[in-house]
PDB file of all heavy atoms in Angstrom:
ATOM      1  N   PHE P   4     -40.919  31.441-124.255  1.00 78.00           N
ATOM      2  CA  PHE P   4     -39.682  30.780-123.808  1.00 78.00           C
ATOM      3  C   PHE P   4     -38.967  30.133-125.001  1.00 78.00           C
ATOM      4  O   PHE P   4     -37.747  30.276-125.152  1.00 78.00           O
ATOM      5  CB  PHE P   4     -40.025  29.737-122.747  1.00 78.00           C
ATOM      6  CG  PHE P   4     -38.858  28.909-122.296  1.00 78.00           C
ATOM      7  CD1 PHE P   4     -37.940  29.417-121.388  1.00 78.00           C
ATOM      8  CD2 PHE P   4     -38.677  27.620-122.777  1.00 78.00           C
ATOM      9  CE1 PHE P   4     -36.852  28.656-120.973  1.00 78.00           C
ATOM     10  CE2 PHE P   4     -37.604  26.853-122.374  1.00 78.00           C
ATOM     11  CZ  PHE P   4     -36.689  27.367-121.458  1.00 78.00           C
ATOM     12  N   LEU P   5     -39.712  29.433-125.834  1.00 73.00           N
ATOM     13  CA  LEU P   5     -39.116  28.816-127.021  1.00 73.00           C
ATOM     14  C   LEU P   5     -38.562  29.876-127.973  1.00 73.00           C
ATOM     15  O   LEU P   5     -37.499  29.696-128.570  1.00 73.00           O
ATOM     16  CB  LEU P   5     -40.160  27.973-127.745  1.00 73.00           C
ATOM     17  CG  LEU P   5     -40.648  26.698-127.046  1.00 73.00           C
ATOM     18  CD1 LEU P   5     -41.676  25.987-127.906  1.00 73.00           C
ATOM     19  CD2 LEU P   5     -39.477  25.769-126.739  1.00 73.00           C
ATOM     20  N   ALA P   6     -39.282  30.984-128.097  1.00 68.00           N
ATOM     21  CA  ALA P   6     -38.831  32.060-128.980  1.00 68.00           C
ATOM     22  C   ALA P   6     -37.515  32.663-128.494  1.00 68.00           C
ATOM     23  O   ALA P   6     -36.604  32.951-129.286  1.00 68.00           O
ATOM     24  CB  ALA P   6     -39.900  33.138-129.073  1.00 68.00           C
ATOM     25  N   ASP P   7     -37.402  32.855-127.188  1.00 72.00           N
ATOM     26  CA  ASP P   7     -36.155  33.397-126.640  1.00 72.00           C
ATOM     27  C   ASP P   7     -34.990  32.439-126.840  1.00 72.00           C
ATOM     28  O   ASP P   7     -33.858  32.850-127.130  1.00 72.00           O
ATOM     29  CB  ASP P   7     -36.322  33.693-125.142  1.00 72.00           C
ATOM     30  CG  ASP P   7     -37.019  35.016-124.894  1.00 72.00           C
ATOM     31  OD1 ASP P   7     -37.255  35.747-125.878  1.00 72.00           O
ATOM     32  OD2 ASP P   7     -37.330  35.313-123.730  1.00 72.00           O
ATOM     33  N   LYS P   8     -35.243  31.153-126.684  1.00 73.00           N
ATOM     34  CA  LYS P   8     -34.204  30.158-126.940  1.00 73.00           C
ATOM     35  C   LYS P   8     -33.759  30.213-128.398  1.00 73.00           C
ATOM     36  O   LYS P   8     -32.568  30.083-128.710  1.00 73.00           O
ATOM     37  CB  LYS P   8     -34.731  28.762-126.613  1.00 73.00           C
ATOM     38  CG  LYS P   8     -34.927  28.496-125.134  1.00 73.00           C
ATOM     39  CD  LYS P   8     -33.595  28.506-124.392  1.00 73.00           C
ATOM     40  CE  LYS P   8     -33.770  28.181-122.927  1.00 73.00           C
ATOM     41  NZ  LYS P   8     -32.469  28.246-122.185  1.00 73.00           N
ATOM     42  N   MET P   9     -34.720  30.431-129.275  1.00 69.00           N
ATOM     43  CA  MET P   9     -34.418  30.530-130.699  1.00 69.00           C
ATOM     44  C   MET P   9     -33.513  31.727-130.979  1.00 69.00           C
ATOM     45  O   MET P   9     -32.545  31.634-131.739  1.00 69.00           O
ATOM     46  CB  MET P   9     -35.724  30.672-131.486  1.00 69.00           C
ATOM     47  CG  MET P   9     -35.573  30.945-132.960  1.00 69.00           C
ATOM     48  SD  MET P   9     -37.139  31.471-133.667  1.00 69.00           S
ATOM     49  CE  MET P   9     -37.284  33.113-132.957  1.00 69.00           C
ATOM     50  N   VAL P  10     -33.796  32.873-130.348  1.00 68.00           N
ATOM     51  CA  VAL P  10     -32.986  34.075-130.541  1.00 68.00           C
ATOM     52  C   VAL P  10     -31.557  33.844-130.041  1.00 68.00           C
ATOM     53  O   VAL P  10     -30.576  34.258-130.669  1.00 68.00           O
ATOM     54  CB  VAL P  10     -33.628  35.269-129.816  1.00 68.00           C
ATOM     55  CG1 VAL P  10     -32.687  36.477-129.827  1.00 68.00           C
ATOM     56  CG2 VAL P  10     -34.958  35.629-130.467  1.00 68.00           C
ATOM     57  N   GLN P  11     -31.422  33.166-128.905  1.00 71.00           N
ATOM     58  CA  GLN P  11     -30.097  32.891-128.356  1.00 71.00           C
ATOM     59  C   GLN P  11     -29.286  31.984-129.269  1.00 71.00           C
ATOM     60  O   GLN P  11     -28.084  32.175-129.451  1.00 71.00           O
ATOM     61  CB  GLN P  11     -30.236  32.254-126.971  1.00 71.00           C
ATOM     62  CG  GLN P  11     -30.836  33.182-125.918  1.00 71.00           C
ATOM     63  CD  GLN P  11     -31.143  32.470-124.619  1.00 71.00           C
ATOM     64  OE1 GLN P  11     -30.604  31.400-124.350  1.00 71.00           O
ATOM     65  NE2 GLN P  11     -32.021  33.045-123.806  1.00 71.00           N
ATOM     66  N   LYS P  12     -29.936  31.002-129.882  1.00 69.00           N
ATOM     67  CA  LYS P  12     -29.247  30.080-130.787  1.00 69.00           C
ATOM     68  C   LYS P  12     -28.788  30.775-132.067  1.00 69.00           C
ATOM     69  O   LYS P  12     -27.819  30.345-132.697  1.00 69.00           O
ATOM     70  CB  LYS P  12     -30.161  28.908-131.138  1.00 69.00           C
ATOM     71  CG  LYS P  12     -30.502  27.987-129.964  1.00 69.00           C
ATOM     72  CD  LYS P  12     -29.279  27.222-129.491  1.00 69.00           C
ATOM     73  CE  LYS P  12     -29.653  26.255-128.371  1.00 69.00           C
ATOM     74  NZ  LYS P  12     -28.457  25.508-127.874  1.00 69.00           N
ATOM     75  N   ALA P  13     -29.481  31.844-132.463  1.00 63.00           N
ATOM     76  CA  ALA P  13     -29.125  32.539-133.703  1.00 63.00           C
ATOM     77  C   ALA P  13     -27.774  33.237-133.609  1.00 63.00           C
ATOM     78  O   ALA P  13     -27.088  33.421-134.620  1.00 63.00           O
ATOM     79  CB  ALA P  13     -30.202  33.558-134.054  1.00 63.00           C
ATOM     80  N   LYS P  14     -27.372  33.669-132.395  1.00 67.00           N
ATOM     81  CA  LYS P  14     -26.062  34.287-132.144  1.00 67.00           C
ATOM     82  C   LYS P  14     -25.783  35.460-133.083  1.00 67.00           C
ATOM     83  O   LYS P  14     -24.717  35.580-133.682  1.00 67.00           O
ATOM     84  CB  LYS P  14     -24.953  33.242-132.274  1.00 67.00           C
ATOM     85  CG  LYS P  14     -25.047  32.137-131.231  1.00 67.00           C
ATOM     86  CD  LYS P  14     -23.931  31.122-131.377  1.00 67.00           C
ATOM     87  CE  LYS P  14     -24.034  30.041-130.308  1.00 67.00           C
ATOM     88  NZ  LYS P  14     -22.966  29.021-130.427  1.00 67.00           N
ATOM     89  N   GLY P  15     -26.776  36.341-133.238  1.00 70.00           N
ATOM     90  CA  GLY P  15     -26.560  37.573-133.997  1.00 70.00           C
ATOM     91  C   GLY P  15     -26.767  37.460-135.487  1.00 70.00           C
ATOM     92  O   GLY P  15     -26.722  38.459-136.194  1.00 70.00           O
ATOM     93  N   SER P  16     -26.974  36.286-136.013  1.00 80.00           N
ATOM     94  CA  SER P  16     -27.151  36.103-137.455  1.00 80.00           C
ATOM     95  C   SER P  16     -28.630  36.165-137.824  1.00 80.00           C
ATOM     96  O   SER P  16     -29.432  35.366-137.342  1.00 80.00           O
ATOM     97  CB  SER P  16     -26.570  34.747-137.882  1.00 80.00           C
ATOM     98  OG  SER P  16     -26.966  34.432-139.204  1.00 80.00           O
ATOM     99  N   GLN P  17     -28.987  37.110-138.695  1.00 85.00           N
ATOM    100  CA  GLN P  17     -30.381  37.203-139.135  1.00 85.00           C
ATOM    101  C   GLN P  17     -30.777  35.983-139.966  1.00 85.00           C
ATOM    102  O   GLN P  17     -31.921  35.528-139.905  1.00 85.00           O
ATOM    103  CB  GLN P  17     -30.597  38.479-139.961  1.00 85.00           C
ATOM    104  CG  GLN P  17     -30.596  39.753-139.142  1.00 85.00           C
ATOM    105  CD  GLN P  17     -31.324  40.875-139.846  1.00 85.00           C
ATOM    106  OE1 GLN P  17     -32.499  40.760-140.166  1.00 85.00           O
ATOM    107  NE2 GLN P  17     -30.622  41.964-140.092  1.00 85.00           N
ATOM    108  N   PHE P  18     -29.855  35.478-140.742  1.00 87.00           N
ATOM    109  CA  PHE P  18     -30.148  34.310-141.567  1.00 87.00           C
ATOM    110  C   PHE P  18     -30.481  33.103-140.687  1.00 87.00           C
ATOM    111  O   PHE P  18     -31.464  32.397-140.926  1.00 87.00           O
ATOM    112  CB  PHE P  18     -28.943  33.994-142.458  1.00 87.00           C
ATOM    113  CG  PHE P  18     -29.156  32.829-143.387  1.00 87.00           C
ATOM    114  CD1 PHE P  18     -29.894  32.981-144.550  1.00 87.00           C
ATOM    115  CD2 PHE P  18     -28.623  31.581-143.092  1.00 87.00           C
ATOM    116  CE1 PHE P  18     -30.103  31.905-145.405  1.00 87.00           C
ATOM    117  CE2 PHE P  18     -28.825  30.500-143.939  1.00 87.00           C
ATOM    118  CZ  PHE P  18     -29.562  30.666-145.104  1.00 87.00           C
ATOM    119  N   ALA P  19     -29.669  32.890-139.641  1.00 84.00           N
ATOM    120  CA  ALA P  19     -29.921  31.770-138.714  1.00 84.00           C
ATOM    121  C   ALA P  19     -31.222  31.986-137.958  1.00 84.00           C
ATOM    122  O   ALA P  19     -31.980  31.035-137.726  1.00 84.00           O
ATOM    123  CB  ALA P  19     -28.753  31.633-137.740  1.00 84.00           C
ATOM    124  N   LEU P  20     -31.492  33.234-137.581  1.00 84.00           N
ATOM    125  CA  LEU P  20     -32.732  33.542-136.871  1.00 84.00           C
ATOM    126  C   LEU P  20     -33.944  33.276-137.761  1.00 84.00           C
ATOM    127  O   LEU P  20     -34.957  32.738-137.314  1.00 84.00           O
ATOM    128  CB  LEU P  20     -32.721  35.005-136.418  1.00 84.00           C
ATOM    129  CG  LEU P  20     -33.971  35.482-135.673  1.00 84.00           C
ATOM    130  CD1 LEU P  20     -34.167  34.673-134.393  1.00 84.00           C
ATOM    131  CD2 LEU P  20     -33.869  36.968-135.364  1.00 84.00           C
ATOM    132  N   PHE P  21     -33.826  33.633-139.027  1.00 89.00           N
ATOM    133  CA  PHE P  21     -34.911  33.428-139.991  1.00 89.00           C
ATOM    134  C   PHE P  21     -35.244  31.935-140.112  1.00 89.00           C
ATOM    135  O   PHE P  21     -36.398  31.529-140.043  1.00 89.00           O
ATOM    136  CB  PHE P  21     -34.507  34.003-141.345  1.00 89.00           C
ATOM    137  CG  PHE P  21     -35.584  33.957-142.391  1.00 89.00           C
ATOM    138  CD1 PHE P  21     -36.484  35.004-142.514  1.00 89.00           C
ATOM    139  CD2 PHE P  21     -35.691  32.875-143.252  1.00 89.00           C
ATOM    140  CE1 PHE P  21     -37.488  34.967-143.477  1.00 89.00           C
ATOM    141  CE2 PHE P  21     -36.674  32.835-144.223  1.00 89.00           C
ATOM    142  CZ  PHE P  21     -37.582  33.882-144.337  1.00 89.00           C
ATOM    143  N   LEU P  22     -34.202  31.122-140.271  1.00 90.00           N
ATOM    144  CA  LEU P  22     -34.415  29.669-140.394  1.00 90.00           C
ATOM    145  C   LEU P  22     -34.955  29.073-139.098  1.00 90.00           C
ATOM    146  O   LEU P  22     -35.824  28.187-139.128  1.00 90.00           O
ATOM    147  CB  LEU P  22     -33.099  28.988-140.774  1.00 90.00           C
ATOM    148  CG  LEU P  22     -32.552  29.302-142.173  1.00 90.00           C
ATOM    149  CD1 LEU P  22     -31.216  28.598-142.384  1.00 90.00           C
ATOM    150  CD2 LEU P  22     -33.545  28.888-143.254  1.00 90.00           C
ATOM    151  N   SER P  23     -34.457  29.565-137.968  1.00 86.00           N
ATOM    152  CA  SER P  23     -34.937  29.064-136.674  1.00 86.00           C
ATOM    153  C   SER P  23     -36.399  29.416-136.460  1.00 86.00           C
ATOM    154  O   SER P  23     -37.187  28.600-135.969  1.00 86.00           O
ATOM    155  CB  SER P  23     -34.094  29.654-135.533  1.00 86.00           C
ATOM    156  OG  SER P  23     -32.738  29.282-135.655  1.00 86.00           O
ATOM    157  N   LEU P  24     -36.756  30.641-136.852  1.00 86.00           N
ATOM    158  CA  LEU P  24     -38.146  31.069-136.721  1.00 86.00           C
ATOM    159  C   LEU P  24     -39.067  30.213-137.587  1.00 86.00           C
ATOM    160  O   LEU P  24     -40.141  29.789-137.146  1.00 86.00           O
ATOM    161  CB  LEU P  24     -38.282  32.540-137.110  1.00 86.00           C
ATOM    162  CG  LEU P  24     -39.715  33.085-137.118  1.00 86.00           C
ATOM    163  CD1 LEU P  24     -40.270  33.127-135.699  1.00 86.00           C
ATOM    164  CD2 LEU P  24     -39.764  34.477-137.746  1.00 86.00           C
ATOM    165  N   TYR P  25     -38.623  29.944-138.807  1.00 91.00           N
ATOM    166  CA  TYR P  25     -39.432  29.116-139.706  1.00 91.00           C
ATOM    167  C   TYR P  25     -39.640  27.723-139.113  1.00 91.00           C
ATOM    168  O   TYR P  25     -40.752  27.196-139.118  1.00 91.00           O
ATOM    169  CB  TYR P  25     -38.758  29.015-141.074  1.00 91.00           C
ATOM    170  CG  TYR P  25     -39.609  28.301-142.106  1.00 91.00           C
ATOM    171  CD1 TYR P  25     -40.540  29.001-142.859  1.00 91.00           C
ATOM    172  CD2 TYR P  25     -39.492  26.928-142.311  1.00 91.00           C
ATOM    173  CE1 TYR P  25     -41.339  28.354-143.790  1.00 91.00           C
ATOM    174  CE2 TYR P  25     -40.289  26.266-143.234  1.00 91.00           C
ATOM    175  CZ  TYR P  25     -41.204  26.989-143.974  1.00 91.00           C
ATOM    176  OH  TYR P  25     -41.998  26.331-144.885  1.00 91.00           O
ATOM    177  N   ALA P  26     -38.559  27.166-138.581  1.00 91.00           N
ATOM    178  CA  ALA P  26     -38.650  25.823-137.992  1.00 91.00           C
ATOM    179  C   ALA P  26     -39.567  25.815-136.770  1.00 91.00           C
ATOM    180  O   ALA P  26     -40.404  24.917-136.611  1.00 91.00           O
ATOM    181  CB  ALA P  26     -37.259  25.326-137.618  1.00 91.00           C
ATOM    182  N   LEU P  27     -39.419  26.819-135.910  1.00 86.00           N
ATOM    183  CA  LEU P  27     -40.212  26.875-134.682  1.00 86.00           C
ATOM    184  C   LEU P  27     -41.697  27.056-134.992  1.00 86.00           C
ATOM    185  O   LEU P  27     -42.545  26.334-134.451  1.00 86.00           O
ATOM    186  CB  LEU P  27     -39.722  28.020-133.797  1.00 86.00           C
ATOM    187  CG  LEU P  27     -40.461  28.210-132.470  1.00 86.00           C
ATOM    188  CD1 LEU P  27     -40.354  26.960-131.611  1.00 86.00           C
ATOM    189  CD2 LEU P  27     -39.912  29.415-131.722  1.00 86.00           C
ATOM    190  N   CYS P  28     -42.024  27.994-135.877  1.00 87.00           N
ATOM    191  CA  CYS P  28     -43.427  28.218-136.238  1.00 87.00           C
ATOM    192  C   CYS P  28     -44.026  26.987-136.916  1.00 87.00           C
ATOM    193  O   CYS P  28     -45.202  26.660-136.708  1.00 87.00           O
ATOM    194  CB  CYS P  28     -43.557  29.434-137.158  1.00 87.00           C
ATOM    195  SG  CYS P  28     -43.254  31.005-136.338  1.00 87.00           S
ATOM    196  N   SER P  29     -43.217  26.310-137.707  1.00 90.00           N
ATOM    197  CA  SER P  29     -43.697  25.110-138.393  1.00 90.00           C
ATOM    198  C   SER P  29     -44.042  24.008-137.393  1.00 90.00           C
ATOM    199  O   SER P  29     -45.093  23.363-137.490  1.00 90.00           O
ATOM    200  CB  SER P  29     -42.633  24.605-139.372  1.00 90.00           C
ATOM    201  OG  SER P  29     -42.340  25.587-140.345  1.00 90.00           O
ATOM    202  N   ILE P  30     -43.150  23.803-136.429  1.00 87.00           N
ATOM    203  CA  ILE P  30     -43.373  22.754-135.430  1.00 87.00           C
ATOM    204  C   ILE P  30     -44.592  23.069-134.566  1.00 87.00           C
ATOM    205  O   ILE P  30     -45.446  22.214-134.327  1.00 87.00           O
ATOM    206  CB  ILE P  30     -42.121  22.575-134.550  1.00 87.00           C
ATOM    207  CG1 ILE P  30     -40.964  22.017-135.387  1.00 87.00           C
ATOM    208  CG2 ILE P  30     -42.411  21.651-133.369  1.00 87.00           C
ATOM    209  CD1 ILE P  30     -39.630  22.034-134.680  1.00 87.00           C
ATOM    210  N   LEU P  31     -44.676  24.316-134.106  1.00 80.00           N
ATOM    211  CA  LEU P  31     -45.792  24.685-133.242  1.00 80.00           C
ATOM    212  C   LEU P  31     -47.118  24.628-133.979  1.00 80.00           C
ATOM    213  O   LEU P  31     -48.142  24.248-133.413  1.00 80.00           O
ATOM    214  CB  LEU P  31     -45.569  26.091-132.669  1.00 80.00           C
ATOM    215  CG  LEU P  31     -44.402  26.227-131.695  1.00 80.00           C
ATOM    216  CD1 LEU P  31     -44.256  27.658-131.231  1.00 80.00           C
ATOM    217  CD2 LEU P  31     -44.607  25.302-130.496  1.00 80.00           C
ATOM    218  N   THR P  32     -47.113  24.993-135.258  1.00 82.00           N
ATOM    219  CA  THR P  32     -48.352  24.965-136.042  1.00 82.00           C
ATOM    220  C   THR P  32     -48.899  23.549-136.175  1.00 82.00           C
ATOM    221  O   THR P  32     -50.110  23.334-136.125  1.00 82.00           O
ATOM    222  CB  THR P  32     -48.109  25.561-137.448  1.00 82.00           C
ATOM    223  OG1 THR P  32     -47.751  26.936-137.323  1.00 82.00           O
ATOM    224  CG2 THR P  32     -49.360  25.457-138.306  1.00 82.00           C
ATOM    225  N   THR P  33     -48.006  22.582-136.359  1.00 82.00           N
ATOM    226  CA  THR P  33     -48.463  21.206-136.532  1.00 82.00           C
ATOM    227  C   THR P  33     -49.192  20.686-135.301  1.00 82.00           C
ATOM    228  O   THR P  33     -50.073  19.830-135.407  1.00 82.00           O
ATOM    229  CB  THR P  33     -47.282  20.261-136.848  1.00 82.00           C
ATOM    230  OG1 THR P  33     -46.337  20.309-135.772  1.00 82.00           O
ATOM    231  CG2 THR P  33     -46.595  20.668-138.132  1.00 82.00           C
ATOM    232  N   PHE P  34     -48.849  21.211-134.116  1.00 74.00           N
ATOM    233  CA  PHE P  34     -49.465  20.719-132.885  1.00 74.00           C
ATOM    234  C   PHE P  34     -50.533  21.662-132.328  1.00 74.00           C
ATOM    235  O   PHE P  34     -51.230  21.303-131.375  1.00 74.00           O
ATOM    236  CB  PHE P  34     -48.399  20.483-131.812  1.00 74.00           C
ATOM    237  CG  PHE P  34     -47.511  19.322-132.125  1.00 74.00           C
ATOM    238  CD1 PHE P  34     -46.242  19.519-132.652  1.00 74.00           C
ATOM    239  CD2 PHE P  34     -47.944  18.025-131.921  1.00 74.00           C
ATOM    240  CE1 PHE P  34     -45.421  18.446-132.962  1.00 74.00           C
ATOM    241  CE2 PHE P  34     -47.134  16.940-132.227  1.00 74.00           C
ATOM    242  CZ  PHE P  34     -45.866  17.159-132.749  1.00 74.00           C
ATOM    243  N   THR P  35     -50.652  22.859-132.883  1.00 68.00           N
ATOM    244  CA  THR P  35     -51.675  23.792-132.403  1.00 68.00           C
ATOM    245  C   THR P  35     -52.586  24.136-133.579  1.00 68.00           C
ATOM    246  O   THR P  35     -53.406  23.348-133.976  1.00 68.00           O
ATOM    247  CB  THR P  35     -51.018  25.044-131.807  1.00 68.00           C
ATOM    248  OG1 THR P  35     -50.153  25.661-132.771  1.00 68.00           O
ATOM    249  CG2 THR P  35     -50.194  24.675-130.591  1.00 68.00           C
ATOM    250  N   SER P  36     -52.460  25.326-134.111  1.00 70.00           N
ATOM    251  CA  SER P  36     -53.174  25.712-135.332  1.00 70.00           C
ATOM    252  C   SER P  36     -52.491  26.946-135.889  1.00 70.00           C
ATOM    253  O   SER P  36     -51.776  27.659-135.171  1.00 70.00           O
ATOM    254  CB  SER P  36     -54.651  26.003-135.048  1.00 70.00           C
ATOM    255  OG  SER P  36     -54.809  27.270-134.453  1.00 70.00           O
ATOM    256  N   ASN P  37     -52.726  27.216-137.162  1.00 76.00           N
ATOM    257  CA  ASN P  37     -52.079  28.365-137.789  1.00 76.00           C
ATOM    258  C   ASN P  37     -52.506  29.673-137.130  1.00 76.00           C
ATOM    259  O   ASN P  37     -51.694  30.584-136.942  1.00 76.00           O
ATOM    260  CB  ASN P  37     -52.367  28.394-139.297  1.00 76.00           C
ATOM    261  CG  ASN P  37     -53.852  28.326-139.621  1.00 76.00           C
ATOM    262  OD1 ASN P  37     -54.691  28.070-138.761  1.00 76.00           O
ATOM    263  ND2 ASN P  37     -54.179  28.555-140.874  1.00 76.00           N
ATOM    264  N   ASP P  38     -53.778  29.803-136.778  1.00 73.00           N
ATOM    265  CA  ASP P  38     -54.259  31.040-136.162  1.00 73.00           C
ATOM    266  C   ASP P  38     -53.571  31.307-134.830  1.00 73.00           C
ATOM    267  O   ASP P  38     -53.184  32.446-134.532  1.00 73.00           O
ATOM    268  CB  ASP P  38     -55.774  30.964-135.946  1.00 73.00           C
ATOM    269  CG  ASP P  38     -56.543  30.915-137.253  1.00 73.00           C
ATOM    270  OD1 ASP P  38     -55.955  31.265-138.293  1.00 73.00           O
ATOM    271  OD2 ASP P  38     -57.718  30.533-137.245  1.00 73.00           O
ATOM    272  N   ILE P  39     -53.427  30.270-134.025  1.00 70.00           N
ATOM    273  CA  ILE P  39     -52.804  30.423-132.707  1.00 70.00           C
ATOM    274  C   ILE P  39     -51.362  30.909-132.854  1.00 70.00           C
ATOM    275  O   ILE P  39     -50.921  31.829-132.156  1.00 70.00           O
ATOM    276  CB  ILE P  39     -52.843  29.091-131.934  1.00 70.00           C
ATOM    277  CG1 ILE P  39     -54.290  28.687-131.627  1.00 70.00           C
ATOM    278  CG2 ILE P  39     -52.034  29.190-130.654  1.00 70.00           C
ATOM    279  CD1 ILE P  39     -55.015  29.612-130.704  1.00 70.00           C
ATOM    280  N   VAL P  40     -50.608  30.307-133.766  1.00 77.00           N
ATOM    281  CA  VAL P  40     -49.201  30.679-133.951  1.00 77.00           C
ATOM    282  C   VAL P  40     -49.083  32.115-134.446  1.00 77.00           C
ATOM    283  O   VAL P  40     -48.256  32.896-133.953  1.00 77.00           O
ATOM    284  CB  VAL P  40     -48.521  29.704-134.937  1.00 77.00           C
ATOM    285  CG1 VAL P  40     -47.136  30.211-135.326  1.00 77.00           C
ATOM    286  CG2 VAL P  40     -48.403  28.324-134.305  1.00 77.00           C
ATOM    287  N   ILE P  41     -49.912  32.482-135.419  1.00 80.00           N
ATOM    288  CA  ILE P  41     -49.843  33.835-135.974  1.00 80.00           C
ATOM    289  C   ILE P  41     -50.186  34.876-134.917  1.00 80.00           C
ATOM    290  O   ILE P  41     -49.479  35.878-134.761  1.00 80.00           O
ATOM    291  CB  ILE P  41     -50.795  33.955-137.185  1.00 80.00           C
ATOM    292  CG1 ILE P  41     -50.232  33.155-138.369  1.00 80.00           C
ATOM    293  CG2 ILE P  41     -50.995  35.416-137.588  1.00 80.00           C
ATOM    294  CD1 ILE P  41     -51.201  32.972-139.508  1.00 80.00           C
ATOM    295  N   LEU P  42     -51.250  34.658-134.170  1.00 70.00           N
ATOM    296  CA  LEU P  42     -51.664  35.623-133.160  1.00 70.00           C
ATOM    297  C   LEU P  42     -50.696  35.660-131.978  1.00 70.00           C
ATOM    298  O   LEU P  42     -50.581  36.676-131.300  1.00 70.00           O
ATOM    299  CB  LEU P  42     -53.071  35.291-132.662  1.00 70.00           C
ATOM    300  CG  LEU P  42     -54.177  35.390-133.721  1.00 70.00           C
ATOM    301  CD1 LEU P  42     -55.522  35.005-133.126  1.00 70.00           C
ATOM    302  CD2 LEU P  42     -54.243  36.787-134.305  1.00 70.00           C
ATOM    303  N   THR P  43     -49.986  34.565-131.744  1.00 69.00           N
ATOM    304  CA  THR P  43     -49.035  34.502-130.632  1.00 69.00           C
ATOM    305  C   THR P  43     -47.710  35.157-130.976  1.00 69.00           C
ATOM    306  O   THR P  43     -47.163  35.948-130.197  1.00 69.00           O
ATOM    307  CB  THR P  43     -48.786  33.030-130.238  1.00 69.00           C
ATOM    308  OG1 THR P  43     -50.010  32.450-129.784  1.00 69.00           O
ATOM    309  CG2 THR P  43     -47.742  32.937-129.129  1.00 69.00           C
ATOM    310  N   PHE P  44     -47.185  34.855-132.161  1.00 76.00           N
ATOM    311  CA  PHE P  44     -45.832  35.279-132.489  1.00 76.00           C
ATOM    312  C   PHE P  44     -45.740  36.678-133.097  1.00 76.00           C
ATOM    313  O   PHE P  44     -44.690  37.317-133.000  1.00 76.00           O
ATOM    314  CB  PHE P  44     -45.188  34.273-133.455  1.00 76.00           C
ATOM    315  CG  PHE P  44     -44.499  33.144-132.759  1.00 76.00           C
ATOM    316  CD1 PHE P  44     -45.208  32.029-132.353  1.00 76.00           C
ATOM    317  CD2 PHE P  44     -43.151  33.207-132.479  1.00 76.00           C
ATOM    318  CE1 PHE P  44     -44.585  30.991-131.697  1.00 76.00           C
ATOM    319  CE2 PHE P  44     -42.512  32.174-131.818  1.00 76.00           C
ATOM    320  CZ  PHE P  44     -43.231  31.065-131.421  1.00 76.00           C
ATOM    321  N   THR P  45     -46.790  37.159-133.709  1.00 81.00           N
ATOM    322  CA  THR P  45     -46.709  38.465-134.377  1.00 81.00           C
ATOM    323  C   THR P  45     -46.344  39.595-133.415  1.00 81.00           C
ATOM    324  O   THR P  45     -45.425  40.368-133.700  1.00 81.00           O
ATOM    325  CB  THR P  45     -48.021  38.764-135.124  1.00 81.00           C
ATOM    326  OG1 THR P  45     -48.245  37.748-136.105  1.00 81.00           O
ATOM    327  CG2 THR P  45     -47.942  40.114-135.812  1.00 81.00           C
ATOM    328  N   PRO P  46     -47.038  39.748-132.271  1.00 73.00           N
ATOM    329  CA  PRO P  46     -46.628  40.815-131.338  1.00 73.00           C
ATOM    330  C   PRO P  46     -45.192  40.654-130.849  1.00 73.00           C
ATOM    331  O   PRO P  46     -44.455  41.647-130.713  1.00 73.00           O
ATOM    332  CB  PRO P  46     -47.630  40.668-130.180  1.00 73.00           C
ATOM    333  CG  PRO P  46     -48.808  39.984-130.778  1.00 73.00           C
ATOM    334  CD  PRO P  46     -48.237  39.041-131.790  1.00 73.00           C
ATOM    335  N   PHE P  47     -44.771  39.405-130.589  1.00 74.00           N
ATOM    336  CA  PHE P  47     -43.400  39.160-130.143  1.00 74.00           C
ATOM    337  C   PHE P  47     -42.391  39.601-131.201  1.00 74.00           C
ATOM    338  O   PHE P  47     -41.394  40.268-130.899  1.00 74.00           O
ATOM    339  CB  PHE P  47     -43.211  37.678-129.826  1.00 74.00           C
ATOM    340  CG  PHE P  47     -41.765  37.261-129.736  1.00 74.00           C
ATOM    341  CD1 PHE P  47     -41.022  37.539-128.610  1.00 74.00           C
ATOM    342  CD2 PHE P  47     -41.156  36.607-130.798  1.00 74.00           C
ATOM    343  CE1 PHE P  47     -39.682  37.167-128.534  1.00 74.00           C
ATOM    344  CE2 PHE P  47     -39.822  36.235-130.732  1.00 74.00           C
ATOM    345  CZ  PHE P  47     -39.082  36.511-129.594  1.00 74.00           C
TER     346      PHE P  47
END
């Protein structure tokens, strides 16, 4: 759900999507773990 919101906020810009992805993965990693984020987001 958070990932889809991130894609919508990017509005077609790969640069904005890249920064949004970095921010989202960073935030989620701090509260979960690096392994969880990597295994969750890679297939998506």
